Amino acid sequence: MKQLFLLGIILSLVVFSCKKEETAVVSAYSDDSTLIDLAGNCSTGDQTSYAFSYQINGLSSAQSLMFYVGNSFFNQSWVQAPSSTTARDGLGPLFNARSCSACHFRDGRGSPQANSGLLFRLGAGFDNSPDAIYGGQLQDYSHNAVTPEGSMGINYIEEVGYFADGTSYSLRRPVYTVAGQSYGAMQGTTGISPRVGQQMIGLGLLELISESDLLANADPNDADGDGISGVANYVTDIASGNLVIGRFGWKANVGSIAHQVAGAFNGDIGITSSYFPNENYTANQSSCAGLPNGGTPEIEDNDLDAVILYARSLAVPKRRNTTTPEVKYGAQFFKSLGCVSCHKMNYTTGFGGNISPLKNQKITPYTDLLLHDMGAGLADHVPDHLASGFEWRTQPLWGLGLISTVNGHTNLLHDGRARSIEEAILWHGGEAQKSADKYKKLPVNQRKMLLKYLESL
């Protein structure tokens, strides 16, 4: 008790002082701000630019070897067929990137700059059916025999706003276009949904959260009246053939890592697999037909399995600066503002799969993996399975503070429009509007505390 009393005195003397009534609010919460191992035994202490690239502890020797094979296929570029590099030929004919790492540099996050991990998903009508000519994704590159589908254009409009204390801020609103539609005009009903590559850490752990734990956080009709109505997306998993809860992708439109990896090979690089045996062009792109390929399939099952294991086995960086008073107070504001309503903290993974270190781990990913209406400001108006054009999956926050170290930027949200953590908060609307409004009302010193906490994750 004496130690707790002394800690209270120390915190009360923090330079970033809080009003008495605000201190009373935050002190009602238990102090978990010092939690360091967000992924249990699957955490890594590395804080360098390679912090997202470590394998989890405890892999068997065979799995560790597969991890390095998967790393090789993840990072090395594919080439056009035919080629003497027979294990890595078959690129395209249409594609967005030549390698997985082109969109996930050092297993991290893409940005909205050219060749840095941005792509345009395409959806037509209320059911998000593919565009009749261009399919479900715009391919802005091609190999020598054919023409790219088009190019992605982005213009930003700066919009000024103000915090309650009068301090101004500016958000950049993107306007997206597709130039040079080489195979004809898109359907008039086709919508554009920009997406940037996400960091790869902790995916295997998210895959092992039980469906019952995820559904326990769902409240589709907002029965409790708190304004938060998270809903699960349901998708057909290409690997199992079953209807499962979506966990991965910006709209939770993928149910397993196997599906995610194989789908990215096919949609982003133009590489066929046993899961996706057809090339990624449509019947209206006849110039792509009959060209040499890299085999049937172009990535063999054992190599694809290695990449899948790699994606499942990347460790999560430990938190930093957890003992500073700013971070401790910031943790309490994270809760009092209601952020934890969607960025759920604590789970214990199940016992599925064959990677033992992932099982029965206590993890803190800061996500419910559910869909939430994020308001008109972030809407893409493109449905995706059960996700509406206003809904996005809650982004896991673990590793957030190291994105700038790994990838050299802090371009956040689904399309990278936010240039900082603060801008990402300010873009929150819809179900998160109340939390964003509360943030705007905080004095500058308390806003800094919350940002320090988020940077520690």
Side-chain angles (χ1 to χ4, degrees):
M1 293 296 294
K2 182 177 180 181
Q3 290 176 325
L4 291 174
F5 178 75
L6 290 175
L7 177 60
I9 293 176
I10 293 171
L11 289 178
S12 68
L13 295 176
V14 64
V15 174
F16 299 96
S17 61
C18 297
K19 296 178 182 178
K20 289 183 179 180
E21 60 270 23
E22 290 161 341
T23 303
V25 170
V26 299
S27 64
Y29 297 98
S30 61
D31 179 20
D32 53 14
S33 64
T34 57
L35 177 66
I36 294 175
D37 294 332
L38 298 180
N41 294 333
C42 296
S43 305
T44 174
D46 190 88
Q47 300 179 20
T48 71
S49 60
Y50 292 94
F52 295 165
S53 299
Y54 283 83
Q55 67 175 260
I56 58 176
N57 292 321
L59 293 180
S60 68
S61 57
Q63 289 171 334
S64 185
L65 177 60
M66 281 187 71
F67 180 92
Y68 287 109
V69 173
N71 175 70
S72 174
F73 274 90
F74 188 89
N75 285 290
Q76 292 192 28
S77 295
W78 289 75
V79 298
Q80 180 178 336
S83 169
S84 58
T85 311
T86 56
R88 300 180 189 274
D89 68 349
L91 175 70
L94 300 168
F95 57 93
N96 295 107
R98 296 176 181 271
S99 69
C100 305
S101 62
C103 297
H104 306 277
F105 180 65
R106 291 184 179 171
D107 306 293
R109 184 182 170 82
S111 72
Q113 282 71 44
N115 306 319
S116 297
L118 175 72
L119 57 81
F120 281 1
R121 292 284 174 83
L122 306 175
F126 70 92
D127 61 349
N128 193 36
S129 56
D131 184 83
I133 295 177
Y134 296 95
Q137 186 167 312
L138 182 76
Q139 311 292 338
D140 56 341
Y141 290 96
S142 66
H143 62 48
N144 298 338
V146 297
T147 303
E149 292 181 333
S151 60
M152 298 176 284
I154 312 174
N155 289 310
Y156 291 105
I157 301 171
E158 292 289 338
E159 299 181 349
V160 176
Y162 295 90
F163 294 104
D165 61 11
T167 306
S168 66
Y169 61 81
S170 183
L171 303 178
R172 59 177 187 176
R173 181 179 298 276
V175 178
Y176 297 103
T177 56
V178 176
Q181 298 175 34
S182 305
Y183 297 87
M186 289 183 182
Q187 296 170 245
T189 56
T190 295
I192 298 171
S193 182
R195 316 275 178 93
V196 296
Q198 303 180 45
Q199 55 267 39
M200 301 287 294
I201 55 174
L203 299 184
L205 296 164
L206 299 178
E207 191 175 38
L208 287 188
I209 299 174
S210 70
E211 290 197 4
S212 61
D213 283 349
L214 296 180
L215 292 176
N217 295 319
D219 186 13
N221 299 314
D222 192 19
D224 61 6
D226 66 351
I228 307 297
S229 54
V231 298
N233 205 350
Y234 281 89
V235 299
T236 300
D237 180 50
I238 197 70
S240 67
N242 298 325
L243 189 68
V244 299
I245 284 182
R247 300 166 185 260
F248 306 107
W250 285 105
K251 287 183 178 278
N253 64 335
V254 178
S256 72
I257 295 173
H259 188 154
Q260 180 72 29
V261 170
F265 267 116
N266 189 246
D268 301 348
I269 311 178
I271 299 297
T272 61
S273 65
S274 56
Y275 293 133
F276 291 92
N278 300 317
E279 299 283 2
N280 64 347
Y281 57 84
T282 70
N284 291 303
Q285 296 170 321
S286 57
S287 61
C288 297
L291 298 174
N293 61 46
T296 308
E298 291 170 327
I299 182 168
E300 299 289 345
D301 283 349
N302 58 335
D303 296 328
L304 180 63
D305 288 343
V307 182
I308 293 169
L309 178 137
Y310 176 77
R312 283 188 172 127
S313 304
L314 287 164
V316 176
K318 297 182 179 185
R319 286 186 59 216
R320 303 148 311 283
N321 305 319
T322 57
T323 61
T324 65
E326 302 98 314
V327 169
K328 286 179 176 290
Y329 268 112
Q332 309 309 334
F333 289 122
F334 184 76
K335 294 177 180 179
S336 66
L337 267 58
C339 306
V340 292
S341 297
C342 300
H343 292 283
K344 298 291 185 180
M345 296 177 66
N346 300 315
Y347 301 89
T348 300
T349 60
F351 292 88
N354 62 353
I355 303 178
S356 296
L358 297 175
K359 302 178 183 182
N360 196 33
Q361 290 294 315
K362 295 185 183 300
I363 62 172
T364 311
Y366 301 89
T367 178
D368 57 11
L369 296 180
L370 299 176
L371 299 169
H372 295 275
D373 183 337
M374 293 299 290
L378 290 177
D380 64 354
H381 305 289
V382 178
D384 201 329
H385 294 80
L386 300 183
S388 76
F390 288 80
E391 290 179 317
W392 299 96
R393 183 202 69 162
T394 304
Q395 178 72 356
L397 298 183
W398 53 13
L400 176 63
L402 284 171
I403 292 173
S404 59
T405 300
V406 173
N407 296 120
H409 67 77
T410 51
N411 294 318
L412 303 175
L413 298 177
H414 65 279
D415 55 1
R417 69 176 67 187
R419 292 163 291 195
S420 66
I421 296 174
E422 182 165 78
E423 285 190 22
I425 294 171
L426 294 170
W427 271 111
H428 281 50
E431 296 174 40
Q433 187 66 59
K434 289 182 180 179
S435 294
D437 289 343
K438 288 180 181 179
Y439 178 77
K440 292 177 186 177
K441 293 177 181 178
L442 291 177
V444 61
N445 60 327
Q446 294 174 21
R447 298 199 301 268
K448 288 180 179 179
M449 291 178 194
L450 177 58
L451 296 178
K452 286 291 186 183
Y453 171 71
L454 293 171
E455 289 167 2
S456 79
L457 302 183

